[in-house]
């Protein structure tokens, strides 16, 4: 019972364990793969804005597997990310289009404008 209550407050404990496991896998990568993976993961956290824990965990798992396979195959970092790492990161994120933080703000903005404009689309007078 206490575990359910704690998960309600702080989120899924299983997802937190999986996240820590994926981050440990990134830390275990040899250089220069580790530096590249850490830099991209940091960018994902700022740019991605993914709210759904399941989507985030799936994305991180796939991301780590990509780098582990690159290490095993001896694939150079540039062969993975290409000439523009930002383009690579944003293309990678697009494949995981779960619920994002901006979605809440889009709904909030629409509701605020609808309320300001009134039901008939006319602006309310002040």
């Amino acid at each position: 019972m206490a575990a359910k209550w704690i998960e309600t407050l702080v989120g899924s404990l299983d997802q937190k364990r999986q996240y820590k496991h994926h981050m440990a896998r990134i830390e275990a990568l040899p250089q220069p793969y580790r530096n590249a993976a850490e830099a991209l993961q940091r960018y994902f956290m700022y740019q991605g804005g993914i709210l759904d824990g399941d989507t985030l965990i799936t994305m991180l798992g796939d991301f780590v597997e990509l780098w582990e396979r690159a290490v095993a195959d001896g694939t150079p970092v540039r062969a993975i990310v290409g000439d523009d790492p930002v383009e690579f990161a944003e293309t990678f994120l697009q494949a995981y289009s779960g619920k994002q933080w901006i979605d809440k703000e889009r709904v909030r903005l629409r509701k605020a404008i609808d309320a300001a404009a009134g039901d008939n689309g006319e602006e309310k007078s002040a």
Side-chain angles (χ1 to χ4, degrees), residues 40 43 78 81-90:
L40 284 160
Y43 185 83
R78 277 287 176 202
V81 294
D83 293 331
D84 186 357
V86 172
E87 182 180 348
F88 169 83
E90 292 182 3

Side-chain angles (χ1 to χ4, degrees), residues 36-37 55 68 85:
T55 302
E68 288 172 339

Side-chain angles (χ1 to χ4, degrees), residues 26 28 54 60 63 72 76 84 86 90 93 98 101 103-104 109 112:
I26 288 174
D54 290 332
L60 281 176
F63 179 70
D84 186 357
V86 172
E90 292 182 3
L93 283 170
W101 66 270
D103 295 336
K104 290 193 296 186
L109 176 61

Side-chain angles (χ1 to χ4, degrees), residues 88-116:
F88 169 83
E90 292 182 3
T91 301
F92 189 87
L93 283 170
Q94 286 175 359
Y96 301 91
S97 59
K99 188 173 181 183
Q100 298 182 346
W101 66 270
I102 196 67
D103 295 336
K104 290 193 296 186
E105 291 305 315
R106 288 177 179 138
V107 169
R108 183 179 288 164
L109 176 61
R110 287 182 181 112
K111 285 181 180 179
I113 297 302
D114 288 346

Side-chain angles (χ1 to χ4, degrees), residues 34-47:
R34 178 180 177 182
N35 283 348
E38 287 175 340
L40 284 160
Q41 187 273 335
R42 184 174 42 254
Y43 185 83
F44 293 159
M45 295 301 110
Y46 284 107
Q47 175 62 21

